[in-house]
Amino acid sequence: MTRTPQRSPPHLLTLDAMGAGGLPLRVVRIPGDGPVPPPVPLVSTFFMVFVLTAGRGRARHLEELKLHEGDIHLVPAGVEHQPLDVGNLEGWIVGFDPLLLRSLGPEWLPAPPRGTGKTKPPPARSLFVRGLLRLRPGQPRWRRIVQLVAELEAELREAQWGVEHAAHAWFILLVTELVRELQEHTPLAPPMIGGLVHDALAFIEAHCLQPLSLQDVAAAVGCTPSHLANVIRKETGLTVGDWLREHRMAEARRRLLDTEASIERIASQVGYTDVTHFIRTFRRVHGMTPRAWRAQRRR
């Protein structure tokens, strides 16, 4: 019996490894002199926004993607991705701690797309948080986004007095433009605009902090667990567990930073009955334990 060779774990990428120097923001040029992600499977502990200003290439993010000038790709923390062929690509990678999104307040999530049809919009939080989006803004917004990234890069590079506050201001303007694009145009995402997958993702979002299983989600949407697992995997490239974990990790990060609750209490608050399982999951996604992550952020 032939044994299948075990796949090596992906390379873990941190903001500090990208040269952030302790700041929650980093901008790297493509191509450039700064650290760039190696051409191997990667999992970052931070959110990455790829703004491509020239050239073509290929990458893998759940599935193989063609990269083009004018594309903006969103890759959140904890999601495996890999550059396959950078070709003659030019542009920027904007990396930031996901907690910076809180600076926009609760309204930062995209609103449901406008329209008079009966098709239900996809769950915006799932799409945005998981990064299943490729944006292609029109020229006016594209020029604004490129200018904002250039200003953010210059601010971080020059590192003058007040750099963190000034960079944060440019960051808010940049994310605002991205969210406006999401609000005004249908995202280029896998076909999840209705039916079983829509209802399942919406149910997971609404109940993610409760003990939840594949069987629970399947019962809520009226199908068998095996059918639901196959459909969600086929249409999104992720499992029900993947979707559930990301929502729980996002809430765990918020509670670790904003509250004094113990690790055990936070584990139970975000749906984990076993604190050891919670700690292992958190370490796999973030590269460190919840306690170490809290201490690092609070420093």
Side-chain angles (χ1 to χ4, degrees):
M1 181 177 178
T2 304
R3 181 174 295 179
T4 303
Q6 200 166 27
R7 184 173 174 270
S8 300
H11 177 79
L12 188 69
L13 194 63
T14 66
L15 270 174
D16 283 343
M18 291 285 284
L23 291 176
L25 270 168
R26 174 70 168 137
V27 179
V28 175
R29 279 189 175 270
I30 309 171
D33 298 327
V36 295
V40 297
L42 303 166
V43 170
S44 65
T45 62
F46 54 94
F47 206 115
M48 304 176 80
V49 179
F50 291 78
V51 180
L52 305 178
T53 58
R56 292 174 178 267
R58 292 184 304 115
R60 184 178 300 281
H61 177 207
L62 306 180
E63 60 185 16
E64 186 168 323
L65 300 171
K66 293 182 179 179
L67 309 178
H68 299 276
E69 172 187 351
D71 281 357
I72 297 175
H73 291 267
L74 312 177
V75 181
V79 176
E80 185 174 321
H81 57 285
Q82 180 181 2
L84 298 175
D85 177 13
V86 296
N88 57 347
L89 285 171
E90 297 179 18
W92 291 278
I93 303 171
V94 180
F96 62 89
D97 189 316
L99 289 168
L100 287 181
L101 292 173
R102 294 184 312 156
S103 60
L104 292 179
E107 67 276 10
W108 72 270
L109 285 171
R114 303 181 186 92
T116 57
K118 295 182 179 180
T119 302
K120 293 179 288 187
R125 182 182 296 273
S126 286
L127 286 178
F128 195 80
V129 169
R130 291 303 307 184
L132 296 176
L133 297 173
R134 180 180 66 246
L135 306 179
R136 285 180 179 164
Q139 280 303 308
R141 174 159 291 134
W142 171 253
R143 286 193 293 268
R144 286 198 296 275
I145 289 172
V146 169
Q147 180 183 359
L148 289 169
V149 176
E151 294 284 2
L152 176 58
E153 180 200 24
E155 187 64 51
L156 292 170
R157 183 180 65 251
E158 294 167 8
Q160 299 183 37
W161 178 87
V163 56
E164 190 164 357
H165 295 296
H168 188 238
W170 288 117
F171 170 77
I172 291 176
L173 293 173
L174 172 62
V175 175
T176 299
E177 289 298 333
L178 296 177
V179 173
R180 285 174 176 171
E181 181 66 20
L182 292 174
Q183 288 176 328
E184 296 170 13
H185 299 93
T186 302
L188 298 171
M192 295 188 295
I193 58 174
L196 188 62
V197 170
H198 171 281
D199 293 342
L201 295 186
F203 182 83
I204 291 169
E205 286 184 13
H207 300 86
C208 62
L209 302 186
Q210 305 166 14
L212 198 63
S213 67
L214 171 62
Q215 288 74 16
D216 297 329
V217 182
V221 298
C223 72
T224 65
S226 60
H227 179 63
L228 178 64
N230 290 335
V231 170
I232 286 189
R233 182 80 175 188
K234 180 180 179 181
E235 292 198 20
T236 73
L238 301 174
T239 67
V240 169
D242 291 333
W243 288 100
L244 183 60
R245 182 190 64 226
E246 180 59 32
H247 290 303
R248 287 176 170 175
M249 290 296 103
E251 182 61 18
R253 290 191 298 266
R254 187 191 70 78
R255 293 176 188 248
L256 284 166
L257 196 66
D258 291 351
T259 76
E260 299 300 328
S262 67
I263 304 302
E264 292 77 10
R265 179 157 179 77
I266 290 175
S268 66
Q269 288 173 337
V270 299
Y272 289 89
T273 56
D274 180 357
V275 66
T276 302
H277 182 207
F278 167 68
I279 292 171
R280 287 175 179 166
T281 301
F282 194 96
R283 183 176 0 214
R284 189 167 65 248
V285 172
H286 300 90
M288 63 185 74
T289 65
R291 196 177 309 279
W293 187 93
R294 173 186 263 173
Q296 183 187 79
R297 293 307 186 279
R298 289 189 172 182
R299 278 200 304 270

